[in-house]
Amino acid sequence: MSDVLVVSEHRRGELRDVSLELLTAGRELADALDGDLHVAVVAGDVERFADELNRPGVDRIHAVENGEEFDHTVYAAAVEALAERIDPAAIVTPNSVNGLDYAPAVAERLDVPLVADVLGFEYDADGGLTVTREMYGSKVETTVAVEGDRFCLTVRGGEFVPAEGVGDAEVGSVDIEAPESGARVKGFEEVGGGDVDIADADVLVSVGRGIGEEENLDLVEELADALGATLSSSRPIVDNGWLPKNRQVGQSGKVVTPDVYIAVGISGAVQHVAGMKGSDTIVAINTDPNAPIFDIADYGIVGDLFDVVPELVAEFE
Amino acid sequence: MKVLVTVKEVGEPDDDFEIEGTDIAASDLEYDLNEWDDYAVEAAVQLAEAGIADEVVAVTIGPERAEETIRMALAKGADRAVRVWDDAFEGTFADVSSKVDVLEAVVDDEEPELVLSGVQAADTAFGATGVALAERIGFEHAAVVNDLELDADAGVANVHRELEGGIEELTEVDLPAVLTVQTGLNEPRYASLRGIRQAQRKEIAVTELEDLGLSAADVESTLTLTEMYEPESESDAEIIEGDAGEAAGRLAEVLRDKGVGA
């Protein structure tokens, strides 16, 4: 029997959605491996989190009380200690900013292969584990065969449905000894704020890398004005310092759900889509017909934004 | 202090590309310095300009083709470079541990106090090498850093880690450390003509596994890329046809229907 250990994630008192998705992924993997599903909850209000994680399919929850917030030294020590105790075939963590702050260290320490940003997997006793993941900025999908019978996977959020219902897992608390951390969290800062909250807008004109140069932003500003819309952007525009951080839509920026979202020159990387897929109507203008933004768009124009946008502005003037 | 920057040359696929076997055809890839590494190089060069770093060494695992890209890192201000390559890497899908084997050996030679690494490579998108390296070499680390202030006297790096949802974690990291650098940390410079000229004279030490005390068996990958394919389009978008004027006209109708611009 080969067990699975899922490591849950929480932040500032809230269990993050990906934790419940990982229960589904973990159960699937445990079924394929014919093993039990163990779930670790580390730091914070572990009792309350353990309650929330107690969903059908979970066999055992290990609560590690140690500090309030994420600390990679504590997480790595906790997962290592649990791995020694459970000897799981698979360790599954979120492919999140914090997941990537300890999972590679754990895999290294336990000397097991790591596959990051996993979308799906198949396991059979003869062939072992095969993982599905993307490469080249989501332009291609790949399958990767993993050697051996021990591995660590970081699983992308939003790929598995969250586990629902009330389970009957055994909950136990685990004491671990973590060394003193050489990376001390001093606090948190919320970025953004400022002049406008793009999450409040009914209509967003959102600009991406396709705009090319900073001075071309005038063009999309005109469009936003003509439509009575608010201007937002994808990450590269903010990275370049062309728009402030409070305009950024996506995983590390704001999650928006306007009535209409008009993506101009945005290819639709997964991190961006995570921030706007809940919009009622999505319009995409892009030169690349294969751009992933068209996968989630309701209306698309395959064309050059420098041709299309001025015409669209003219329609509304 | 000495700063080691890990860099990688990555291929950016053209809009139209062919898949040959388990990779995109080389002729359909534009090779360039990995975007995240560009920010890491800039951070290192800024530390040198501030008098905090006394040497910036770029290290890459890559074939001869990658030298052009490495030269760009040198032109932007890195002092010298180490390029590790071996036939053993040819046509394989290197796992994290193999890359760490190589980087560990380079760290042993160079003895840096700070390692800067891009958050991820644009092609393989693992985002794991920096943190795994830190674990192996006994350095502290922080992943996904988008703000960095180094206090060399106190022996710490004060960083922001960019979490999801517009939240940043403020963390004090003991040196020596590996930091994985997020885009937006700084404004990467363009190489100046002078920089490009100077880069021609800077050293790129070509290193094989044997030189690092490693063998092909050490870097044997536990991962095999078995298939690559274009994901099936799940699009049910209504694609608006016609020239720019016609398409804009039809889109304007759609938008007005939704109450936009009314």
Side-chain angles (χ1 to χ4, degrees):
Chain A
M1 200 166 81
S2 304
D3 292 349
V4 173
L5 173 62
V6 161
V7 187
S8 63
E9 181 164 315
H10 58 84
R11 190 198 299 159
R12 300 165 104 192
E14 301 282 340
L15 204 61
R16 301 197 64 235
D17 294 346
V18 67
S19 301
L20 298 176
E21 296 164 16
L22 256 50
L23 299 183
T24 304
R27 185 66 253 170
E28 275 181 28
L29 193 53
D31 284 346
L33 290 161
D34 191 22
D36 284 346
L37 174 59
H38 297 253
V39 177
V41 53
V42 184
D45 190 350
V46 290
E47 248 175 72
R48 177 166 54 90
F49 295 141
D51 248 13
E52 284 181 59
L53 289 163
N54 197 339
R55 310 260 160 153
V58 179
D59 294 300
R60 201 175 161 85
I61 299 173
H62 307 269
V64 182
E65 218 172 334
N66 193 318
E68 278 308 304
E69 290 292 342
F70 175 77
D71 175 326
H72 65 228
T73 309
V74 172
Y75 266 65
V79 178
E80 184 188 16
L82 288 171
E84 271 168 16
R85 200 172 296 196
I86 302 163
D87 191 24
I91 296 171
V92 179
T93 82
N95 191 69
S96 58
V97 171
N98 282 344
L100 289 172
D101 201 42
Y102 69 91
V106 168
E108 172 62 32
R109 209 177 282 185
L110 299 174
D111 197 20
V112 296
L114 174 91
V115 187
D117 202 13
V118 170
L119 306 184
F121 44 73
E122 267 180 57
Y123 180 87
D124 72 79
D126 300 328
L129 182 75
T130 305
V131 170
T132 310
R133 60 188 307 282
E134 293 176 341
M135 276 179 60
Y136 293 108
S138 305
K139 286 195 173 159
V140 298
E141 221 166 82
T142 68
T143 55
V144 177
V146 184
E147 193 183 288
D149 51 10
R150 291 282 180 279
F151 32 83
C152 179
L153 310 177
T154 73
V155 172
R156 184 187 289 182
E159 292 297 320
F160 290 85
V161 293
E164 286 180 22
V166 178
D168 55 359
E170 212 180 306
V171 182
S173 87
V174 179
D175 286 324
I176 59 139
E177 273 181 49
E180 200 177 321
S181 188
R184 294 162 295 274
V185 178
K186 299 292 185 185
F188 295 92
E189 218 172 77
E190 234 161 296
V191 294
D195 55 334
V196 66
D197 190 349
I198 55 172
D200 289 341
D202 294 329
V203 183
L204 283 171
V205 169
S206 209
V207 56
R209 211 189 279 263
I211 199 72
E213 302 288 338
E214 185 172 11
E215 54 261 32
N216 298 336
L217 282 180
D218 290 350
L219 194 60
V220 281
E221 273 167 14
E222 274 174 46
L223 179 61
D225 285 346
L227 298 179
T230 302
L231 187 65
S232 59
S233 81
S234 64
R235 176 173 197 114
I237 303 299
V238 172
D239 279 349
N240 287 341
W242 298 348
L243 284 175
K245 181 95 184 172
N246 62 357
R247 301 278 178 161
Q248 186 181 324
V249 174
Q251 204 165 67
S252 56
K254 284 259 165 77
V255 175
V256 298
T257 53
D259 298 337
V260 178
Y261 187 90
I262 305 173
V264 181
I266 291 177
S267 66
V270 58
Q271 293 85 353
H272 182 76
V273 169
M276 45 67 76
K277 63 180 176 207
S279 308
D280 283 349
T281 299
I282 297 170
V283 177
I285 302 171
N286 203 297
T287 48
D288 177 7
N290 299 316
I293 192 75
F294 289 116
D295 288 350
I296 55 151
D298 300 293
Y299 298 91
I301 295 179
V302 177
D304 191 334
L305 72 92
F306 296 103
D307 298 330
V308 177
V309 171
E311 297 282 354
L312 195 54
V313 171
E315 289 284 339
F316 283 89
E317 273 175 351
Chain B
M1 73 173 65
K2 188 192 275 190
V3 179
L4 185 70
V5 190
T6 66
V7 297
K8 184 179 181 187
E9 183 187 71
V10 296
E12 159 82 18
D14 298 335
D15 281 355
D16 283 315
F17 60 82
E18 297 288 327
I19 292 169
E20 285 176 1
T22 56
D23 206 350
I24 293 176
S27 55
D28 295 336
L29 291 170
E30 297 277 344
Y31 291 96
D32 203 351
L33 177 61
N34 179 42
E35 188 181 355
W36 285 264
D37 301 344
D38 201 12
Y39 289 85
V41 169
E42 179 64 32
V45 172
Q46 286 185 11
L47 288 173
E49 287 170 345
I52 297 170
D54 40 42
E55 194 179 24
V56 174
V57 180
V59 57
T60 193
I61 303 172
E64 199 174 352
R65 187 197 60 226
E67 293 221 349
E68 205 181 318
T69 296
I70 306 317
R71 287 261 177 240
M72 286 315 287
L74 295 173
K76 289 175 184 213
D79 295 297
R80 59 187 173 82
V82 178
R83 180 175 70 82
V84 182
W85 193 244
D86 201 279
D87 291 344
F89 287 116
E90 206 76 58
T92 65
F93 190 67
D95 59 12
V96 176
S97 171
S98 309
K99 293 179 194 173
V100 169
D101 285 333
V102 169
L103 294 174
E104 177 191 25
V106 174
V107 166
D108 283 347
D109 284 349
E110 297 287 347
E111 300 183 334
E113 203 176 339
L114 179 66
V115 179
L116 297 176
S117 183
V119 162
Q120 61 174 357
D123 52 2
T124 50
F126 261 60
T129 308
V131 171
L133 173 65
E135 174 67 28
R136 178 81 68 87
I137 62 180
F139 279 26
E140 210 14 275
H141 72 264
V144 193
V145 167
N146 71 347
D147 191 76
L148 165 63
E149 259 177 67
L150 208 71
D151 187 341
D153 294 333
V156 296
N158 291 298
V159 305
H160 289 199
R161 294 182 56 237
E162 185 190 74
L163 305 180
E164 296 84 357
I167 309 284
E168 294 182 0
E169 180 200 275
L170 283 51
T171 307
E172 182 185 70
V173 185
D174 288 342
L175 299 179
V178 179
L179 306 178
T180 77
V181 170
Q182 175 64 306
T183 59
L185 172 70
N186 47 42
E187 286 181 39
R189 70 195 65 195
Y190 291 99
S192 65
L193 280 174
R194 186 160 158 268
I196 291 169
R197 272 202 307 276
Q198 284 174 340
Q200 297 306 319
R201 294 192 299 274
K202 289 180 178 173
E203 180 199 1
I204 300 179
V206 179
T207 308
E208 295 194 346
L209 288 179
E210 204 183 354
D211 305 321
L212 296 170
L214 295 169
S215 69
D218 289 319
V219 299
E220 210 169 302
S221 182
T222 53
L223 306 180
T224 310
L225 201 55
T226 46
E227 274 181 89
M228 180 179 287
Y229 47 92
E230 289 190 63
E232 271 177 49
S233 171
E234 293 153 11
S235 178
D236 47 14
E238 178 189 332
I239 299 297
I240 301 172
E241 308 284 348
D243 65 26
E246 289 161 10
R250 166 78 185 112
L251 180 57
E253 275 173 42
V254 170
L255 292 174
R256 281 198 191 93
D257 270 358
K258 309 269 175 202
V260 177

